[in-house]
Amino acid sequence: MSTGKVTVWKDFAKGLWDENPSLRMLLGCCPTLAMTTSAINGFSMGIAVIFTLICSSAIISLMRNLIPKEVRIATYIIIISTFVTVVDRTMAAFLPAISKAMGPFIPLIVVNCIILGRAEAFASKNTVGRSIIDAMGMSIGFTLTLTFLGSLRELIGAGTIFSFQIMPESFIPWAVIVLPPGAFLMLGLIIGTVNWLNTQITKKTAH
Amino acid sequence: MQLIIIIISSVLINNYVLVQFLGICPFIGVSKKLSPAISMGVATTFVMTITAAVAWIINQYILIGLNLQFLEIGSFILVIAGLVQLVEMFIKKTSKPLYDALGIFLPLITTNCAILGLALLLVIKEYNFIESIVFGFGSGAGFTLALVIMAGIREELELADVPSYFKGAPITLITASCIALAFMGFAGLI
């Protein structure tokens, strides 16, 4: 029983740090860069990915013995695009402002390498339960990263987080951070810092 | 005149990679050396131009015609996957040297978000047929330009003394940031 719990936790937690999709595996870079102009944008993108990844992983895992090997990628794409359409239409109906701000990036979840990558690497080989846990870990890791990056860019670029004023009035926002060059710069710095942190952690555990 | 504006805007001002963040994966993955970067750029431009034409026809006559706009995502991705296969077979039959030069990059283009993004942007921007093709070509050229500049810089970067934690992806992203900053200078062009 206890070993069962350990594997569940492992399946879940590897997406948060060890195999974090955007920081360690460099998957799904386009939305990571484009949708982090503010904390709320990053967070909404993350929620959309959580829904799509969990649903498509579950369905693909259920159908893993039915799908012929030769056409598996095409089948995965169709399953994924169904759920993306659901998210896209729901957002356009209930959250029109955010949907507009995201432009084509919600439909582009279809070709997001995180989803297809998890389908191919995990859901097509494991049971439904494990696939859902894995999808949850991965997508929550992705959402946390996007929200963190979004908050950081919003804080430096506009002085706010989730539209709450954080910086003192006298702070002059660095507008360039919310513009495209800032996205590349911040992601590069964060990945470099994470690399450094990781070597520190490995050194500590080795001792 | 409208067409020239579309070309300038898609190559320089709204550069596909540096401003709109589409096609980042090949931008980071294939920009280590100059010659594969050029092949990838040419292959992508080629597929993008054809996709623009086909996506416009499908959207105008099938999706809008039959009131099926909610099938946009699924139908575009299927058409692109089929189209890339078709282009691959066509090039293989007609021009062996070009086929060898493009190699593995052709099938990879299917999952490049730049192509699907192009099809979706065409619908949002409501271009007509000719404008769509020009927009597709311009976007591809912009992608190639960014990729080639990046590859040129990265060849030099190999010799630079970069802190070990920043080797690879982080320094590439920071370099991209500098290029993007330079491209912002084009914003006042039109």
Side-chain angles (χ1 to χ4, degrees), chain B residues 65-107:
Chain B
L66 300 176
N67 214 358
L68 287 173
Q69 279 103 323
F70 62 92
L71 286 178
E72 183 183 274
I73 305 171
S75 51
F76 280 164
I77 190 77
L78 277 182
V79 167
I80 291 168
L83 199 66
V84 171
Q85 282 276 299
L86 206 70
V87 169
E88 193 186 350
M89 285 192 285
F90 180 77
I91 295 182
K92 197 176 180 182
K93 271 268 187 296
T94 52
S95 162
K96 196 84 177 87
L98 183 63
Y99 179 78
D100 289 334
L102 298 180
I104 178 80
F105 298 123
L106 263 179

Side-chain angles (χ1 to χ4, degrees), chain B residues 49-66:
Chain B
T49 315
I50 302 174
T51 307
V54 175
W56 189 87
I57 294 171
I58 290 194
N59 183 52
Q60 204 66 24
Y61 293 109
I62 301 181
L63 295 181
I64 293 182
L66 300 176

Side-chain angles (χ1 to χ4, degrees), chain A residues 120-131:
Chain A
E120 173 74 10
F122 204 93
S124 60
K125 297 188 190 98
N126 289 291
T127 55
V128 184
R130 280 192 72 191
S131 302

Side-chain angles (χ1 to χ4, degrees), chain A residues 64 89 105 150 193 198:
Chain A
R64 68 185 185 280
R89 294 284 130 178
F105 278 95
T193 316
N198 225 39

